Structure formats: C-alpha cells, structure tokens
Amino acid sequence: MTATNRQITLAARPVGLPKETDFRLIESPMPEPAPGEILVRSLFLSVDPYMRARMGEGPNYADPVGIGDVMVGEVVGEVVESNNPRFSEGTLVAGLLGWQEYAVTDGSDLRPVLTGEAPISTALHVLGMAGLTAYVGLLDICQAREGDTVVVSAAAGAVGSIVGQIARIHGCRVIGIAGSDSKVEFIVKELGFDGGFNYKTTEHYTRRLAELCPDGIDVYFDNVGGSITDAVFPLLRLGARIGICGQISQYNLEKPELGPRLLAYLIIKRARIQGFLVTDHFDRYPQATAELGAWMASGRLKVREQIADGLEKAPAAFIGMLQGANTGKQLVRIAEHE
Ligand SMILES: NC(=O)c1ccc[n+]([C@@H]2O[C@H](COP(=O)([O-])OP(=O)(O)OC[C@H]3O[C@@H](n4cnc5c(N)ncnc54)[C@H](OP(=O)(O)O)[C@@H]3O)[C@@H](O)[C@H]2O)c1
C-alpha cells in the first residue's frame, strides 16, 4: 500500500465552463481508520453535472465544496482495512467518498454494490443514481404509459439513454435530442429509439420535432433546458407531463438566460410540469435496480461507458462531459479491481 493518498481539491470557483486549473491534485498522508471506521480504496469515480453547481457559491440543494476541500463525488471502492464489524476486507461499497484514491468513513452512508453479473462500475450509473433518476423521473414524475410519445433531451447521456430505453420497454414512442450525428445514430440504431436529431446542426427545433412527433408530445423528460425545452411547449398534447430533471445548458452561464414565456401552453393543454431530485426517491431504489438489472441481463437495456484512466484525468473527464464529449456514462477508473 502506498504511504500517500492522492486527492483532487477545488482550487478556484469556476467562471463559466470550469478549467483544469480550477482543480488541484495534491498528495496527503494515507488516512488511518479509527475504531468503528474503514479504509476504502477507490476503483471508479463518477463525474456528474451536479458537481458544477457544487463548485460555485450560488443557492443549491446542497452546500458548496469549500476551496481546498476534496471534490464531492460518488465512488465504487473496496474495503482494504476495517475497524467496523459491519464491513469485512474485500467488500465492495459505493458512496460519496470524493475525488481521491483512499477515504476513511464510518460506513453509515455507504451502500453495498449489488451488480450481480454486471460490471461493478454499473453501480455508478444504470444500477445507481442515473438509473434511479431515469426510472423515477419517467415512470413516477412523468407517468409515462403505453402509447405515449416521449421526448428526452441529452438523450445519449447517462440518464437520457436509460430514459429512452425504459420508455420503449413500456410501449412508448421515443424521440431523443443529442449533440452529434454519432450520438443520434447510437440512440436510434443501438438503443432502439424511434427517432432523434442533432440539435447542433438543426435550425428549427420545433419544426423538426413536429416532423418526428406528428401527433404531438405526451411526455418531455428535460435534461437540458434553454431553447431545446422551449421548442417542446408548442407541441404538447392534452394532459402532457414535463419532468424537469436537469438544465445543463444553463449550468455554465454567468447570467441567467431569458427565454420566451410559454406557460400558457400548460393551460391550453392542461399539462403538468414538475421538477424532481433523485435524492428524495431512495425508497424506489430496490425496485428500480431490480427492474433495470433484469432488463440489462435480458439484453433489453443497453449501457455504454466511457472511461478515463487515472485520478489525474478526472478534471478533464468532468469538463469534457459538461461539453458533450461522452456517449453513455462518463467514469474515471482510479484503480484496477484485483
Ligand atoms: N434531478 C436529479 O435528481 C438529477 C439526477 C441526475 C442527473 N440530473 C441531470 O440530468 C442531466 C443529465 O445528467 P447525466 O449525468 O446523465 O449527464 P450526461 O447526459 O451523461 O452528460 C451531460 C450531457 O449534457 C449534454 N449537454 C451539455 N451541454 C449542453 C447544452 N448546452 N445543451 C444541450 N445539451 C447539453 C451533453 O450531451 P450533448 O452532446 O447531447 O450535448 C452531455 O453529454 C443533467 O442536467 C443533470 O444535472 C438530475
């Protein structure tokens, strides 16, 4: 075991898109578990859009990361030393252990890694937060049902790619919006979406959506906000549901973007719009992961991972994800699982 722990801390609050210099790679002494604690060796780190908000000081649902503090992040790791009878050495765990090679914890916030035949990394996406977000957002918040036309934005990403596939499994017609031709090809040809378009090369979003959804839109699963979301409102069907999952097009803006005022469409179509946070829905985790795991095992649900190697690559992987460099789930491999 090395005598030092490598960690990535927040060096500066970003202005606009984060830069690699907003992070600092430091070496600190290897932490030692006190009685009741365990030492966890990180194997995979998840990089996620919510981290952008935690780097700033603005109002949010969770406290910002302090300057000089280890960046917040979810990790799958292995218990390598245990002073806690609940955990034996070699146990795999997942939890918010941060951007670092080793972490000490009393284990109270950890969950077991129950990925079965699937790779352990899936505990950080389809069998973790992204999967639960997609499942709860689509089925509970948006109440998607057979025959609905569902539109999802950031459709080739971790959450969006699962949303579209759950919708297909439930007998919906699914259209995805993504940022490159290869992503559109991925969601249609590999994941079985009914259609999609590249918002970076499409001039008139509402017109393109109207071609792809001739009967209108019953469910919009919003991951991005901004002008993509604006384009959906005129096409809502009677009783439509909009789930506000994310607004990634706005996360790096220094000033809020002003948009058209579209709420009248909600009146005309008796439509409902609701924001949600996955952290309020952990009671649905057992059912969601059981179903998602079964769909994956039977080949009905496909996942793609994009893996950067080494803790030092985490800032670039995170910044790349914010700009759409990922297809599927962006992860960082911190160490090999032996
Ligand atoms: N409410 C919750 O509890 C909850 C939980 C998890 C995630 N989320 C939200 O869900 C969304 C997706 O998260 P994820 O983890 O699955 O990330 P992801 O989709 O795997 O990665 C983010 C994607 O956002 C797209 N993007 C970036 N800037 C954009 C822009 N200006 N306009 C349109 N698309 C843009 C990029 O794809 P393109 O190439 O298509 O642009 C990028 O790949 C995020 O908004 C996140 O904040 C919410």
Side-chain angles (χ1 to χ4, degrees), residues 48-50 129 133 154 157-160 177-180 183 199-200 223-224 228 244-249 251 276-279 321-326 328-329:
D48 296 88
Y50 75 83
M129 187 175 76
T133 304
V159 172
I177 306 171
S180 73
K183 288 188 181 190
Y199 71 88
K200 290 185 179 162
N223 283 318
V224 307
I228 292 175
I244 305 295
C245 175
Q247 297 284 288
I248 198 167
S249 73
Y251 295 170
F276 70 97
L277 262 184
V278 65
T279 45
M321 177 277 300
L322 288 178
Q323 296 175 289
N326 60 309
K329 174 63 193 168

Side-chain angles (χ1 to χ4, degrees), residues 5-316:
N5 185 21
R6 294 198 310 155
Q7 304 173 303
I8 293 182
T9 61
L10 180 63
R13 301 219 178 274
V15 178
L17 181 71
K19 305 180 292 297
E20 292 213 33
T21 50
D22 296 331
F23 302 91
R24 183 165 298 134
L25 179 64
I26 64 165
E27 288 198 1
S28 50
M30 178 65 74
E32 285 183 22
E37 291 185 333
I38 56 174
L39 179 66
V40 180
R41 174 172 165 262
S42 306
L43 301 172
F44 286 98
L45 165 72
S46 171
V47 287
D48 296 88
Y50 75 83
M51 294 166 176
R52 174 63 184 87
R54 303 288 285 276
M55 296 173 79
E57 276 179 316
N60 208 315
Y61 56 87
D63 291 337
V65 176
I67 298 293
D69 288 351
V70 174
M71 273 295 294
V72 65
E74 214 189 9
V75 160
V76 159
E78 180 182 14
V79 177
V80 287
E81 215 180 307
S82 176
N83 295 330
N84 182 327
R86 282 182 54 226
F87 299 91
S88 51
E89 284 175 23
T91 306
L92 291 171
V93 291
L96 281 172
L97 298 177
W99 294 25
Q100 54 187 340
E101 290 177 330
Y102 290 89
V104 156
T105 164
D106 66 8
S108 54
D109 287 343
L110 298 180
R111 57 188 166 88
V113 173
L114 304 171
T115 47
E117 298 291 299
I120 59 170
S121 52
T122 57
L124 293 178
H125 50 106
V126 61
L127 301 179
M129 187 175 76
L132 182 61
T133 304
Y135 187 93
V136 164
L138 184 74
L139 300 179
D140 297 352
I141 306 295
C142 292
Q143 299 271 305
R145 42 190 179 250
E146 192 175 351
D148 279 349
T149 295
V150 173
V151 172
V152 55
S153 48
V159 172
S161 60
I162 302 171
V163 168
Q165 293 181 87
I166 300 175
R168 289 283 301 140
I169 288 167
H170 278 260
C172 304
R173 199 169 165 274
V174 185
I175 302 299
I177 306 171
S180 73
D181 290 347
S182 64
K183 288 188 181 190
V184 174
E185 192 176 310
F186 167 65
I187 58 172
V188 173
K189 296 214 172 120
E190 271 189 56
L191 305 186
F193 284 41
D194 297 282
F197 70 90
N198 174 356
Y199 71 88
K200 290 185 179 162
T201 54
T202 300
E203 214 165 301
H204 200 293
Y205 299 159
T206 302
R207 205 170 292 153
R208 185 72 188 111
L209 276 171
E211 287 164 6
L212 291 164
C213 309
D215 298 327
I217 296 167
D218 299 289
V219 167
Y220 174 52
F221 192 107
D222 184 19
N223 283 318
V224 307
S227 53
I228 292 175
T229 297
D230 294 343
V232 169
F233 279 73
L235 300 172
L236 294 177
R237 293 187 75 188
L238 202 63
R241 287 85 65 203
I242 301 179
I244 305 295
C245 175
Q247 297 284 288
I248 198 167
S249 73
Q250 311 296 299
Y251 295 170
N252 292 311
L253 300 181
E254 287 303 307
K255 277 191 192 158
E257 196 179 59
L258 295 180
R261 292 165 188 164
L262 299 165
L263 299 186
Y265 286 105
L266 301 183
I267 306 169
I268 299 163
K269 298 298 180 184
R270 281 74 121 196
R272 182 167 61 72
I273 184 163
Q274 185 181 339
F276 70 97
L277 262 184
V278 65
T279 45
D280 295 333
H281 300 273
F282 285 150
D283 59 315
R284 297 285 275 143
Y285 187 67
Q287 185 175 350
T289 44
E291 285 203 63
L292 291 162
W295 290 329
M296 214 175 16
S298 68
R300 294 180 84 193
L301 178 68
K302 297 187 180 119
V303 291
R304 190 186 283 191
E305 298 177 334
Q306 197 159 306
I307 299 178
D309 262 303
L311 177 69
E312 66 284 358
K313 299 280 171 48

